[in-house]
Amino acid sequence: MLKTIYHYRGFIICSIKRDFQSRYQTSMLGALWLVLQPLAMILVYTLVFSQVMKARMSDSTGSFAYSIYLCSGVLTWGLFTEILDKSRGVFINNANLIKKISFPKICLPIIVIASAILKFLIIFSLFIIFLIFTGNFPGWLILSMIPVILIQITFAAGLGMIFGVMNVFFRDVGQFVGVLLQFWFTPIVYVLNSLPRWAHKILMYNPLARLMQSYQGIFAYHKMPDWVSLMPVVGLAIVFCIYGFVLFRRHAAEMVDEL
């Protein structure tokens, strides 16, 4: 399979380029929308929660503390939702390619993941520039973000593969993913330390809460992630990837008939 992916590397690269071109080539501002959309969302949430509701981080006094806390969660959350949202319909939306016998179907999830990572790197680089100019860059601690984001990508890829295959046979799965993402978004906006202990414990059952808390700890508090608390997420990511791969291999032929 790895040889097949390498053999089709040109197709994968061209598909990623085509995805970006089809998104922005017909708009007047072009790829600038890639920056404007998340920026507008961050400004709205920052205004509502840090000004109108007077939300404050009790253990941080910096003027940009809550904005950094919010950005580190929203931007990394965007990577997760991009992978999961595109993966749920990746086989349905590319039915014409899947019906070709010689086409390796495994290339489709790879294209989705690679496109999402590239988009994230462009947006997140602006956040890094903001941190540098405001004097809030975490220094070498930023390297601890690498294993956390690898866990998140693995988690999203495995779950996305499962939903993508299931959505071919049960179209309700695609609608379920949208509802699930709304529930998972909760820990990003609220400062977990400011919540009651019982609410904090409930939210920590959300695997995304553990990941987001790691990012927010790095950028807002300049502290290392709690690797022990991330171990359950690592386990889930591995299980999802294995199960998603097995599900894909087992039903690849049936997907062609269904589509």
Side-chain angles (χ1 to χ4, degrees):
M1 182 170 290
L2 291 176
K3 287 182 180 179
T4 304
I5 293 171
Y6 179 76
H7 179 71
Y8 279 83
R9 65 191 184 279
F11 170 78
I12 293 173
I13 295 172
C14 288
S15 297
I16 295 171
K17 291 180 180 177
R18 195 181 306 114
D19 178 56
F20 273 82
Q21 290 174 352
S22 62
R23 248 184 230 187
Y24 305 111
Q25 68 179 357
T26 57
S27 62
M28 294 180 62
L29 297 180
L32 189 60
W33 285 112
L34 185 65
V35 179
L36 292 178
Q37 289 173 346
L39 181 62
M41 181 173 60
I42 291 168
L43 288 176
V44 169
Y45 279 119
T46 301
L47 174 64
V48 172
F49 286 95
S50 65
Q51 298 299 326
V52 177
M53 295 180 63
K54 301 297 181 184
R56 291 292 182 267
M57 299 170 64
S58 58
D59 45 3
S60 182
T61 56
S63 57
F64 296 102
Y66 184 75
S67 296
I68 294 172
Y69 183 92
L70 185 65
C71 290
S72 58
V74 170
L75 297 182
T76 49
W77 168 258
L79 172 62
F80 178 80
T81 55
E82 179 83 5
I83 294 175
L84 205 60
D85 187 57
K86 292 296 179 61
S87 295
R88 64 176 171 176
V90 66
F91 299 118
I92 295 175
N93 297 335
N94 294 279
N96 58 328
L97 291 175
I98 291 178
K99 293 174 184 178
K100 296 180 180 179
I101 299 176
S102 61
F103 178 75
K105 305 172 187 63
I106 194 64
C107 288
L108 296 175
I110 293 174
I111 293 169
V112 167
I113 296 169
S115 297
I117 292 174
L118 181 59
K119 179 181 177 182
F120 169 76
L121 290 175
I122 295 172
I123 298 173
F124 204 75
S125 62
L126 299 175
F127 178 54
I128 297 299
I129 294 173
F130 167 75
L131 293 176
I132 294 173
F133 274 97
T134 57
N136 291 286
F137 186 71
W140 64 270
L141 271 175
I142 196 172
L143 297 177
S144 63
M145 176 187 174
I146 297 175
V148 180
I149 205 164
L150 288 176
I151 295 170
Q152 177 179 324
I153 292 172
T154 306
F155 185 90
L159 199 58
M161 179 74 81
I162 294 171
F163 286 145
V165 174
M166 292 179 64
N167 196 32
V168 173
F169 304 99
F170 309 99
R171 299 303 169 90
D172 290 339
V173 172
Q175 305 299 325
F176 169 75
V177 173
V179 176
L180 181 65
L181 289 175
Q182 291 179 1
F183 281 101
W184 272 355
F185 183 74
T186 306
I188 298 174
V189 175
Y190 298 102
V191 181
L192 295 181
N193 295 335
S194 65
L195 296 177
R197 184 175 295 274
W198 62 268
H200 186 275
K201 288 183 178 180
I202 292 175
L203 283 177
M204 290 310 290
Y205 283 107
N206 179 353
L208 270 297
R210 297 172 184 261
L211 290 170
M212 297 302 115
Q213 193 175 45
S214 298
Y215 294 125
Q216 290 160 343
I218 294 170
F219 294 103
Y221 300 107
H222 294 183
K223 65 179 184 180
M224 290 285 289
D226 183 357
W227 302 113
V228 176
S229 70
L230 288 175
M231 286 300 103
V233 187
V234 174
L236 280 174
I238 294 173
V239 170
F240 286 154
C241 274
I242 294 174
Y243 182 68
F245 181 75
V246 171
L247 200 67
F248 170 77
R249 291 292 298 269
R250 184 175 296 173
H251 298 285
E254 295 176 22
M255 285 195 296
V256 177
D257 297 333
E258 186 69 22
L259 293 170

